[in-house]
Each structure stands twice: as C-alpha cells, then as structure tokens.
Amino acid sequence: MSIQPGTEGNGSAPETAPPPPNPDKGMFGVKGTGDVSGFGRLVRPRPAVFDSPRPYGGYFDDVYDALEEAYPAFSEAIEKVVVDRAELTLHIRPERITDVCQVMRDDESLRFELCSSVDCVDYLGSDERRFHVAYQLTSMTYRRRVRLEAAVAEGVPVPSVTSVYPTADWQEREVYDMFGVVFTGHPNLTRILMPDDWEGHPQRKDYPLGGVPVEYKGAEIPPPDQRRVYQ
C-alpha cells in the first residue's frame, strides 16, 4: 500500500488538499464572461416576424373582424397581425394602446375583461424599437385569449392602460423597474422590486451580467463569477 505525502507516521490526511488540475470557472468550461450559467455568450438570432395571411383560424378571425368593426381607427392602430404557435398577437402603435384596450374590454363582441399580464422583451441590436411591451388579455365571457404588443425605442414613453385594466398597475411598475420603459398616466410609477436609488434596469440586455456588487445588511456580495469555482 502506498502512503500519500504528508500522512507518514500518523495516518492522518494532509491539512490542505492540493488544488485540482485545471479548474474551470463557470459551467461547461466558460471563462471570463462574468456568467456562471455557461450561456452568457450564446446569441440567438431573432427571426423575422411578418403579417400572417388570412384566414387565421379558430376564433382569431372573429376577434380581428370585431375589433375592426368596433374601432374606427383600426387601420391606423394595427401595425401587423401575427399568428404563431396557436397564439394571436396584434401589434399596436404605442400611442393607440389604451384606446385599443378600451375597445377590447367594452365591445360586446370582444369582452376581454382581464389583463392578466404586462411584460416586456428587450431586442437589443436587432430592432430600432428595442422594447416590446406585451399585454396578455383574456375574455372570460368567450373563453378567448389574445396578446397585444407595442414596440418603442429607448426613452419613448407608452401610455398606461391602468385606467382600463387596474391589474396593470403593479405590472407596469415592474416593466418600468426592470426595463426602464416609462408609462405616461400611471398613478404611481415607482420601482417595485429594486431599491428606489438603484441605478439601471436589471433586465435590459446591456445591463452588466452578474457584475454588480450588491450590499446586503453590511456585507458586499461579489459578482457570480467570483463566488464559486466549478471543478
């Protein structure tokens, strides 16, 4: 039986184990990205989105026709209609989003009473209007769903829909907090997740990935790439 160096005479393990050979920082051997998930350098090209041809199928044509009949400025408000993965998305000009929501809620043929979610996507570098605000609407009367989407460039505000859907109050605050999109007419547009004096908006694609030290109860938490070493 061989004896390991440092254990002669007493049979005990060495006080400090030698470091393993070639430790990798980050999962999958990723180094230098500041991202321990291993996916920091992956770039997924955004596919081109085009108008879907009619008929759309299902109840989608009924929703389109009802909105066109009920809303006189339909042609000015709708940029395009996309049907993908069995979902209907109406791309709306931002300045018209509140008017469209009002019609979607109140018209007898539509009755989208619930705005279940307001969220955002940042298409940095692939779209001049990088921020796409999405509204998930549900008709409990007709058991239907539709998505409205409004795209704006950085610094361009979006009208708030809280006067139509009160549930959008905290959801718009979260979009403002995470992406920096300003909603005009919101009753209390303040941060909801980050501290009031926080600089930047964490879900923007150009926000430092894991590179912002956070002070928590007197202790500074280092960026993720400095917290651990995967071996």
Side-chain angles (χ1 to χ4, degrees):
M1 182 178 68
S2 62
I3 300 176
Q4 298 295 327
T7 63
E8 299 90 339
N10 57 13
S12 61
E15 293 182 3
T16 58
N22 302 320
D24 291 325
K25 297 200 72 175
M27 297 172 68
F28 319 118
V30 174
K31 300 179 182 179
T33 66
D35 173 21
V36 295
S37 71
F39 298 97
R41 295 283 184 176
L42 294 181
V43 178
R44 181 178 182 271
R46 182 189 175 210
V49 180
F50 302 101
D51 263 321
S52 298
R54 297 195 70 175
Y56 303 132
Y59 61 80
F60 297 164
D61 293 278
D62 296 336
V63 171
Y64 182 93
D65 292 337
L67 181 59
E68 184 177 28
E69 180 178 353
Y71 186 43
F74 178 87
S75 59
E76 301 174 9
I78 306 298
E79 294 184 333
K80 58 187 170 185
V81 180
V82 178
V83 177
D84 185 39
R85 295 173 176 84
E87 295 181 332
L88 173 65
T89 302
L90 304 178
H91 290 254
I92 312 295
R93 296 190 183 278
E95 62 272 16
R96 299 280 187 174
I97 187 64
T98 306
D99 296 339
V100 171
C101 285
Q102 188 81 55
V103 176
M104 295 290 285
R105 188 195 69 179
D106 294 344
D107 186 76
E108 291 289 344
S109 300
L110 294 167
R111 286 298 187 193
F112 285 88
E113 304 98 337
L114 173 65
C115 177
S116 59
S117 174
V118 180
D119 47 43
C120 185
V121 178
D122 180 4
Y123 291 107
L124 177 65
S126 62
D127 195 332
E128 181 179 354
R129 297 187 297 172
R130 60 183 282 192
F131 298 111
H132 288 231
V133 183
Y135 307 78
Q136 309 289 344
L137 305 185
T138 300
S139 171
M140 294 177 287
T141 299
Y142 299 114
R143 300 177 63 85
R144 296 171 173 177
R145 293 182 178 179
V146 66
R147 178 188 298 107
L148 307 183
E149 189 169 319
V152 293
E154 183 174 1
V156 177
V158 180
S160 174
V161 300
T162 53
S163 60
V164 181
Y165 296 114
T167 54
D169 188 336
W170 285 18
Q171 297 166 351
E172 289 182 349
R173 285 179 60 191
E174 183 174 349
V175 172
Y176 163 70
D177 195 358
M178 295 291 103
F179 293 91
V181 176
V182 174
F183 294 91
T184 57
H186 190 283
N188 184 31
L189 194 63
T190 57
R191 289 190 182 273
I192 192 171
L193 297 175
M194 307 303 292
D196 290 338
D197 59 350
W198 190 266
E199 295 182 6
H201 304 280
Q203 287 190 339
R204 287 190 175 192
K205 291 293 179 62
D206 51 2
Y207 189 81
L209 182 58
V212 181
V214 178
E215 186 173 323
Y216 179 70
K217 292 188 177 180
E220 185 177 282
I221 307 301
D225 62 321
Q226 299 175 17
R227 298 179 200 168
R228 65 182 72 181
V229 175
Y230 291 92
Q231 302 174 358

